[in-house]
Amino acid sequence: DSGVTQTPKHLITATGQRVTLRCSPRSGDLSVYWYQQSLDQGLQFLIHYYNGEERAKGNILERFSAQQFPDLHSELNLSSLELGDSALYFCASSVHPDRGRETQYFGPGTRLLVL
Amino acid sequence: AQSVTQPDIHITVSEGASLELRCNYSYGATPYLFWYVQSPGQGLQLLLKYFSGDTLVQGIKGFEAEFKRSQSSFNLRKPSVHWSDAAEYFCAVGAGSQGNLIFGKGTKLSVKP
């Protein structure tokens, strides 16, 4: 158990809908990262928040957004869902970003299926 | 651009045999390198990491990896594989100022009894 929690574990929805994925980082961690894992793209970095502020963006679609709240939990919002958004979404946390050397601890993921 | 290549998509080894999973990276500065393992239906678990110093690093579950700057490689090894090692293995490099990880496509390991 990494100490990172994600809810829900599974999510099935229809095209055009909107969903929210939730992540609680390890106690004491200020950084939260979101990654998408799909068969064709592999593990792709989406977005990074540090202590409530957006730190970096990766391959995140405009239909996707995220935020980190004062209690440090984070939510990833996916809207106007398409079939291709079906994937496993991981959250990871670390104490703070340190030029890529900080160990990131991953949650169990949320498996999203868009029908 | 920074990238990680894992040349082997799928490897099958017999239980008790040795294992080497290959990883090559492309990164302009000193790389921070990681190996993660993902069991079916699970998240990613850190096996080991390299930041600096000794180029042979030890990890959990009996794994080790060797950093070779001249070959831009960070191969993962285990002297004797157990059936419970069957999983997917990901090599990653820390992406500098952004803080995120850049992952390879992964190598799926199957273990024959």
Side-chain angles (χ1 to χ4, degrees):
Chain A
D1 185 357
S2 67
V4 179
T5 60
Q6 289 187 248
T7 56
K9 192 165 186 176
H10 300 279
L11 199 49
I12 302 175
T13 188
T15 54
Q17 295 298 304
R18 173 189 169 94
V19 297
T20 297
L21 312 183
R22 182 186 168 105
C23 168
S24 293
R26 293 187 323 154
S27 177
D29 284 359
L30 300 178
S31 264
V32 170
Y33 307 80
W34 286 97
Y35 294 86
Q36 179 194 58
Q37 184 179 34
S38 61
L39 284 175
D40 52 343
Q41 297 292 322
L43 270 160
Q44 298 275 314
F45 165 65
L46 295 178
I47 197 163
H48 170 204
Y49 274 82
Y50 172 65
N51 205 19
E53 295 190 2
E54 182 183 300
R55 182 76 177 234
K57 271 186 173 179
N59 298 323
I60 189 166
L61 300 171
E62 285 192 12
R63 301 183 284 109
F64 296 0
S65 65
Q67 53 185 327
Q68 187 179 26
F69 295 86
D71 67 351
L72 301 175
H73 91 272
S74 177
E75 293 181 356
L76 179 67
N77 300 295
L78 315 177
S79 61
S80 302
L81 285 167
E82 302 175 359
L83 296 177
D85 298 327
S86 296
L88 190 52
Y89 291 84
F90 284 112
C91 164
S93 74
S94 67
V95 175
H96 60 81
D98 184 14
R99 297 169 294 129
R101 62 183 289 164
E102 190 77 12
T103 296
Q104 295 181 23
Y105 296 88
F106 282 76
T110 293
R111 184 168 295 281
L112 173 66
L113 180 59
V114 182
L115 299 175
Chain B
Q2 303 145 353
S3 65
V4 175
T5 302
Q6 294 180 247
D8 304 305
I9 296 173
H10 190 187
I11 284 182
T12 300
V13 299
S14 298
E15 191 167 16
S18 63
L19 171 70
E20 183 168 26
L21 302 182
R22 296 183 290 162
C23 171
N24 292 97
Y25 67 89
S26 172
Y27 191 72
T30 301
Y32 303 125
L33 296 161
F34 305 80
W35 274 100
Y36 283 86
V37 61
Q38 183 180 22
S39 299
Q42 303 294 316
L44 285 84
Q45 180 183 22
L46 180 70
L47 286 175
L48 48 78
K49 59 188 179 186
Y50 171 79
F51 292 159
S52 64
D54 193 348
T55 56
L56 186 63
V57 293
Q58 301 298 321
I60 63 170
K61 305 185 180 187
F63 285 93
E64 65 178 27
E66 186 171 13
F67 170 62
K68 293 185 177 180
R69 185 185 298 275
S70 62
Q71 298 177 19
S72 297
S73 70
F74 187 56
N75 294 348
L76 182 72
R77 301 195 294 248
K78 186 169 185 178
S80 177
V81 169
H82 188 262
W83 63 265
S84 61
D85 294 323
E88 191 154 18
Y89 292 79
F90 292 91
C91 181
V93 63
S97 59
Q98 282 197 305
N100 60 286
L101 296 171
I102 297 170
F103 286 90
K105 294 288 190 185
T107 297
K108 184 175 180 180
L109 173 66
S110 297
V111 180
K112 290 190 300 186

